[in-house]
Amino acid sequence: MRYFLLAFLLLPLFGWEYYTHGSLQTLTPLPNHTRSLNIHYFKDTKERTIGATNRIILKKRDKCANKWLARYPYKELQNGDILLFTKNIEETFTVAKELYESGCVYFAHPDFLVPIKMRSYDPLFSQQWNFYNIGQGYSVPNVDLNVYEAWQYATGRGVKVAVIDNGFDLGHEDLQGAFVDQIDLVDNDNNASFDNNFELHGTACAGLIAARKNGRGVQGTAYDAALIGIKLIGNYPDGSEKSLFVSSIVAAFWYAKSHGADVINCSWGTYDVADAVRDAINDVAYNGRDGKGTVIVFASGNEGRGDWFWGNDESALPSVLAIGAVTNLGDVAWYSNYGPELDFVAPSGGGTLRIATTDIRGVFGYADGSFGHPDYCYATDTTGFNGTSAAAPQISGVVALMLQRDPELTRDKIVAILKQTARKIGGDIYDEQGHNDYFGYGLVDAKAAVEEVIRRKVQKDVVNKTFALSGYFFHIGDGKFDWIYVSKNLKFVCKLEGMDEHGYLRWNILQSSKKRGFDTISLDGPVITFGKSLQTGALYQQLAHRSFVIDGDFVHYSTGAYEWIYIDKNSLKSFKLERLSYTGSFLWIPLDLSSYIENDKVSFK
C-alpha cells in the first residue's frame, strides 16, 4: 500500500457538523489515512469515508454573503459557485454552518473529497446480444434494446455525448474519430487519456456509446455520435483512488454544458450527493442545450438494494435518469439497485453473457491476455464488462439516436417518449403510471423511441396546415419498386427503380416536358387511364390503353429527400416515408393524423 497512517488528535468537544439537503448532519472523525497532512477523514451517515480540507463550496443567495468573502480568500468557479478557503479544518465546518444559517447562501458545505463507486460489476456484432438478441449464449430472444432496427433511422450523427469517467484509450482503433473534445480534471490538462491499467472503465463506457462502424471490433449504440471525454476519476499505479473534490464534480458538469453536450453519461455515483453537485446537475438538466434541457444518465448501482440505500445518490435525483440492468435471460440482474427512483433498465451481465465493448489496448484490461483477444471485451469473457455501468451508456446512445432525428426535443419530451415506448418486461406488475420498482418504466426500445420521435416531429410540422398534392401513386405489380408516379397535372410520369448508395430514390422517367410517353393521360375520380404509347419498351406497353386505380396521394411537406407523406385513398391513413429497410422494402412511419383532400390540396388535423 502506498498510503501511510497518521493518527491525529480528535477533538471530542468539536461538532463536525454541516448542512446538506437542508438538514444538519454530523460526521464521525477517523484516523487520518491520507497522502496529505491537510486532509481529515470522516465517516458519514452512509458509512462512507469522506475527506475535508480548508475549502468550502457555496452558492450566493444575497449580497450579505459578501462579509464572509471579505474575510477569507476565495475563487469563483466557472458555473458561478464560490470556493472559500479557511485557515483550518475546524474553521471550514464552523464557517460553512454559519453561512448556511445566515440565509445568505443557497448552500454552503465543505468541498468534500468523495469516494466514487464505479458501476461495472466486474467485426464482433454477433457478441452484441444487447443490440440484437437472437438467442446467443442461451439468451431469451428479443431481450435487447432493439438498436439494430433503430439504426435504419438514425446513427447519432451530429449529437454530442459527454462521458464523465476515469479516462479513455484515445488511440483505440474503434474510437478513432469519436472524441471531439476532452479534459482531464484529475491532472488539470486537456488530455483525458487513461494513465494506468486501473483506469479501464471509461474506455468500455465510451465504446458502448460510440464505437465506430468501421469494419473493426464492435459498434456503439450511436456509432456516429461525437464524444466529449471528461476525466473526473483517477487511480494511482497501485490501484488506489486519487482524491476527488466535490468542486471537481461540479466542474465536470459545467464543462459538459458549456461545451455543447446533448447527453451526459455517468456510470458512477457517490451515494450521497452534495448540495453543490445537485445544484450543478439540476442546472445542466433543466437549462442545458439553450434551455431545452440535457438528458443526464446515471447507473443506479450494483448493490442489489432498495432506495433506502441509494436514495440520496446522484442517480436518484428527479433531474437524471437512473438505469438498472436486466440479463440476457430477461430477469432483473441480481446486483441492480431498485426502487421508485429507478427509471429504466438496459441489458447487462448477470445471466449467461456479459457485454461486448472496447477495452484498453493490451493484456491488462477487463479482457486479459488469457482470452486471446486484447483490446475488446467479449460477452463470453468471465471478466468482461458488466453491471449497471454497462447499462447506462446504452441509454445515452439511444438518446443520441433520438436527438439526431429531432435536435429540438426538450429533455422532458425525450423522457416522456422513453416512458411511452419502453417494453414492460419481467412479468411483474406495473403501477398506474407504468412503473415497477425493479424494471422502472421498462426496457428501453430504441426502434420504438426513434420512430415516435419521427412521428411527433412530422405531426408538429404539418398539423393544421394545408399542402398541395404532389401527385398520384399506384401499383403495377407485387414488387417493392413496382410504383408509378403521375404528377397532378398529368404531364410527368415515372417508375420507381430503387435507391442509390446515398439513400436517394432512383426513378425511370417515362414522360416529361422533354419526352412524351403517351398521347393522352386522363384522370376520372380515383382512376388514371393511359392512351397510346409514343415510346418503345415493355413498360410503356404495360401501361398503354389501361386504367389504374390510384392507391394513394403524396405530399412533399418540406424540402428533404424523405419529407414525403403518403395518404392511403381508402383508409385516409397517413404514413411518413423513410429509407429502405434491411430487407430492401420501404420503411413507413404511421402517423396519428386525419386528412381532408379538396381541390388537389390536403389538410392535416
Side-chain angles (χ1 to χ4, degrees):
M1 294 291 291
R2 298 182 63 171
Y3 289 113
F4 62 87
L5 179 65
L6 172 70
F8 85 103
L9 182 63
L10 303 182
L11 302 180
L13 299 180
F14 186 81
W16 303 98
E17 298 175 329
Y18 72 101
Y19 282 94
T20 182
H21 317 327
S23 62
L24 194 62
Q25 301 291 318
T26 302
L27 299 178
T28 302
L30 295 174
N32 210 18
H33 300 268
T34 179
R35 293 173 182 271
S36 170
L37 302 182
N38 298 317
I39 304 173
H40 292 173
Y41 282 93
F42 305 84
K43 280 286 187 184
D44 67 5
T45 56
K46 290 279 187 182
E47 292 299 305
R48 299 182 312 157
T49 299
I50 61 176
T53 65
N54 68 328
R55 297 157 54 135
I56 297 171
I57 188 168
L58 63 97
K59 189 181 194 73
K60 286 176 58 177
R61 183 195 297 269
D62 189 86
K63 63 182 181 181
C64 61
N66 289 342
K67 69 178 182 180
W68 281 274
L69 302 186
R71 193 182 308 164
Y72 298 98
Y74 68 91
K75 179 175 76 171
E76 186 169 349
L77 302 179
Q78 291 168 311
N79 72 331
D81 290 355
I82 291 172
L83 212 55
L84 194 73
F85 300 93
T86 64
K87 296 183 180 68
N88 54 56
I89 183 69
E90 291 85 356
E91 197 171 42
T92 295
F93 281 84
T94 301
V95 173
K97 187 178 175 184
E98 286 177 0
L99 272 162
Y100 185 82
E101 291 176 346
S102 73
C104 300
V105 298
Y106 290 100
F107 59 80
H109 56 72
D111 185 16
F112 288 116
L113 291 153
V114 293
I116 291 289
K117 271 283 198 187
M118 291 298 197
R119 288 172 177 172
S120 56
Y121 189 68
D122 285 314
L124 301 173
F125 184 68
S126 62
Q127 290 271 336
Q128 296 185 274
W129 63 270
N130 45 318
F131 293 167
Y132 188 50
N133 186 344
I134 55 174
Q136 308 97 305
Y138 305 102
S139 298
V140 174
N142 300 319
V143 178
D144 56 34
L145 279 184
N146 212 6
V147 170
Y148 177 69
E149 298 295 330
W151 285 335
Q152 297 173 114
Y153 303 112
T155 61
R157 187 176 301 277
V159 181
K160 289 183 179 181
V161 183
V163 188
I164 303 177
D165 218 288
N166 71 342
F168 311 93
D169 188 343
L170 302 174
H172 196 289
E173 64 177 4
D174 237 351
L175 294 174
Q176 292 298 299
F179 287 92
V180 296
D181 200 347
Q182 58 181 294
I183 189 171
D184 183 346
L185 295 173
V186 179
D187 295 327
N188 295 310
D189 58 37
N190 293 320
N191 182 359
S193 180
F194 75 106
D195 290 331
N196 56 60
N197 297 328
F198 293 96
E199 297 177 351
L200 319 173
H201 195 265
T203 299
C205 290
L208 279 168
I209 297 169
R212 297 339 233 180
K213 184 179 181 182
N214 56 8
R216 304 169 183 172
V218 294
Q219 292 174 212
T221 314
Y223 54 76
D224 281 329
L227 296 181
I228 301 174
I230 302 177
K231 184 175 181 179
L232 173 68
I233 306 155
N235 292 83
Y236 292 103
D238 65 359
S240 56
E241 288 187 359
K242 293 183 177 180
S243 298
L244 174 62
F245 282 107
V246 164
S247 54
S248 296
I249 303 176
V250 171
F253 285 98
W254 178 88
Y255 190 90
K257 177 186 176 184
S258 63
H259 285 72
D262 300 299
V263 192
I264 301 175
N265 188 81
C266 304
S267 291
W268 50 269
T270 66
Y271 291 101
D272 194 11
V273 58
D275 288 347
V277 174
R278 176 194 286 106
D279 185 71
I281 289 174
N282 289 344
D283 172 57
V284 177
Y286 299 124
N287 301 317
R289 296 175 56 236
D290 297 323
K292 293 186 286 292
T294 305
V295 175
I296 303 174
V297 181
F298 267 90
S300 67
N302 299 324
E303 289 72 30
R305 299 181 182 182
D307 65 327
W308 58 268
F309 178 79
W310 62 284
N312 285 329
D313 185 56
E314 288 83 354
S315 61
L317 292 173
S319 54
V320 312
L321 296 184
I323 309 302
V326 291
T327 74
N328 63 313
L329 305 178
D331 304 316
V332 63
W334 60 268
Y335 52 79
S336 184
N337 286 345
Y338 56 89
E341 293 84 0
L342 186 70
D343 290 296
F344 301 100
V345 291
S348 192
T352 62
L353 295 173
R354 290 164 181 78
I355 296 296
T357 185
T358 47
D359 197 8
I360 63 170
R361 289 168 293 168
V363 297
F364 296 106
Y366 290 109
D368 63 36
S370 62
F371 295 108
H373 51 258
D375 306 351
Y376 292 94
C377 301
Y378 279 29
T380 50
D381 293 344
T382 56
T383 62
F385 199 48
N386 210 345
T388 57
S389 268
Q394 299 174 63
I395 304 307
S396 295
V398 171
V399 175
L401 299 180
M402 297 167 69
L403 283 170
Q404 178 187 343
R405 293 309 305 250
D406 188 359
E408 297 303 311
L409 278 175
T410 65
R411 173 206 172 273
D412 291 347
K413 287 182 179 178
I414 292 169
V415 174
I417 290 171
L418 289 172
K419 289 180 180 179
Q420 175 186 331
T421 57
R423 286 181 280 167
K424 307 300 185 187
I425 67 167
D428 287 9
I429 297 174
Y430 290 76
D431 63 24
E432 292 181 356
Q433 286 71 45
H435 187 272
N436 174 282
D437 281 358
Y438 292 90
F439 294 93
Y441 291 95
L443 174 61
V444 167
D445 187 322
K447 175 177 179 283
V450 175
E451 286 182 339
E452 182 61 22
V453 170
I454 297 170
R455 182 178 297 111
R456 291 190 183 199
K457 185 176 189 307
V458 173
Q459 290 170 181
K460 179 182 66 176
D461 290 344
V462 305
V463 73
N464 295 324
K465 295 180 182 178
T466 299
F467 301 87
L469 289 179
S470 300
Y472 315 104
F473 275 79
F474 58 87
H475 280 100
I476 58 170
D478 297 327
K480 56 179 172 283
F481 297 124
D482 288 339
W483 285 82
I484 297 291
Y485 167 78
V486 180
S487 63
K488 66 179 182 180
N489 64 6
L490 307 181
K491 294 182 178 180
F492 188 84
V493 181
C494 55
K495 179 188 177 296
L496 183 61
E497 290 293 312
M499 188 174 289
D500 66 20
E501 66 272 17
H502 302 293
Y504 291 99
L505 300 177
R506 292 188 292 107
W507 299 92
N508 177 11
I509 298 175
L510 304 177
Q511 176 164 299
S512 68
S513 59
K514 298 179 179 180
K515 173 184 175 182
R516 286 193 68 193
F518 304 91
D519 64 346
T520 61
I521 301 176
S522 61
L523 176 66
D524 184 11
V527 177
I528 288 181
T529 301
F530 292 86
K532 177 183 176 181
S533 171
L534 303 179
Q535 304 288 336
T536 59
L539 187 54
Y540 286 98
Q541 303 310 313
Q542 185 179 354
L543 297 176
H545 303 296
R546 291 187 61 188
S547 296
F548 299 88
V549 176
I550 297 170
D551 291 297
D553 303 302
F554 264 85
V555 171
H556 197 199
Y557 66 92
S558 191
T559 58
Y562 290 96
E563 291 173 332
W564 291 84
I565 295 176
Y566 173 73
I567 306 162
D568 183 77
K569 273 288 188 185
N570 295 320
S571 67
L572 292 182
K573 291 182 178 179
S574 302
F575 303 85
K576 162 73 168 63
L577 173 65
E578 282 292 319
R579 295 171 180 264
L580 292 181
S581 70
Y582 292 129
T583 60
S585 58
F586 282 106
L587 294 164
W588 299 94
I589 304 293
L591 302 175
D592 297 325
L593 292 171
S594 59
S595 58
Y596 176 73
I597 300 175
E598 185 178 35
N599 298 326
D600 289 331
K601 293 185 177 181
V602 58
S603 299
F604 294 104
K605 302 292 184 182

